[in-house]
Amino acid sequence: MTIFVPLIYLFAGWLVGKTAWDLKAAASWVLTRVAIPVVIIFNISTRFGSMSTIIIATAISMLIMLMASRYFFRDPIKSLCFSYLNIGWLGLPVATALFGDQAATIVIAAYVGSSIVGNSVGAGMLSGHHFRLLKLVQTPPVLALIVGAALIPFSQQITLWFNDLYEVAKFLMSFLGMAVLGVWLSKTELTLKDLRHEVRPYLIKSAAMLMMISLMIGLARIVDFRLITENTPTLYLFCLLPPAANIIVLETHYLGTGRSARIITCGTCISILAMSLFAAAITIGKTMGIVF
């Protein structure tokens, strides 16, 4: 049932979009300037030791995907939709429901890595700064990474004093992100042609992720990195994820437009179908005694 929670948030945003209230800019500001940095700071400062390898691997993988996408898409929004995946807002509840708390550790680490790259590089692309290092360092997620690293010696105190703040920020990250997408969706007309048009990019993205994750798992087996080798189904779930809903937040914040809403929504619909089949296969496998 947790797979439907993000859809509830999406529907709430859709309902707000049908009213006269225009909350997109305010919600996007809270996400980019408050909620996402808090989540990154908390995770980096308290869990970096067990998460660092996955954070770095995810960041490198996303950069490779992003650079490859630039050869196919001149539009930065399409490039982001190809390489920046909805790991935190959709992948986290699904992975936790299927595979438990250990899967959540992997997904959160992957989310931090992708969020740092997606928000910093994405901000540079959409604001027209074209990967200028100084501008990227000044973006909220990179500043959050720096602050989180500086707070690593105080990890126990951070966990004790700021866990409630982290839980609130994590909820806001999921709720507001999907709600902003829902607001844009309420103003966007979707057709079956739109869905069919997004199937091919989704399959290409999934194939590219499949190759990269298989390579990562192979390397993990060579160096005996068990956190990865013992959770391969969680990693392969990433192949089925849609474009990150946070792309619409970045687009709203920096461009004031919502062109990515159609791509993200169609990708999400395709992804939910694919993940439902994946979840069914996992469930059937478990009932048959197959260990994943």
Side-chain angles (χ1 to χ4, degrees), residues 101-227:
D101 292 337
Q102 190 171 15
T105 299
I106 293 177
V107 176
I108 291 174
Y111 170 75
V112 172
S114 67
S115 179
I116 290 168
V117 175
N119 284 279
S120 59
V121 177
M125 292 170 63
L126 297 180
S127 62
H129 293 306
H130 303 296
F131 302 100
R132 285 164 56 183
L133 182 60
L134 181 60
K135 290 294 182 181
L136 295 183
V137 170
Q138 294 173 348
T139 58
V142 175
L143 292 174
L145 172 62
I146 295 171
V147 172
L151 293 175
I152 289 176
F154 308 99
S155 60
Q156 292 184 350
Q157 291 87 340
I158 296 295
T159 302
L160 180 62
W161 296 338
F162 297 104
N163 187 68
D164 290 341
L165 175 62
Y166 166 66
E167 292 297 330
V168 172
K170 190 167 63 172
F171 168 75
L172 288 176
M173 184 182 71
S174 182
F175 175 74
L176 291 180
M178 296 303 292
V180 170
L181 176 59
V183 171
W184 278 114
L185 178 60
S186 70
K187 306 177 187 302
T188 304
E189 183 178 348
L190 293 178
T191 65
L192 287 176
K193 182 179 179 181
D194 294 323
L195 282 171
R196 290 196 300 268
H197 185 264
E198 294 304 322
V199 170
R200 185 171 179 271
Y202 177 84
L203 293 176
I204 294 174
K205 179 269 302 174
S206 297
M209 286 296 300
L210 179 64
M211 290 187 291
M212 296 195 68
I213 289 173
S214 297
L215 176 61
M216 183 188 304
I217 292 172
L219 292 174
R221 285 173 178 162
I222 293 174
V223 300
D224 194 26
F225 187 53
R226 294 188 178 181
L227 184 61

Side-chain angles (χ1 to χ4, degrees), residues 86-97 103-105 107-108 170 173 241:
N86 196 336
I87 295 175
W89 303 351
L90 186 60
L92 180 59
V94 174
T96 304
T105 299
V107 176
I108 291 174
K170 190 167 63 172
M173 184 182 71
L241 294 175

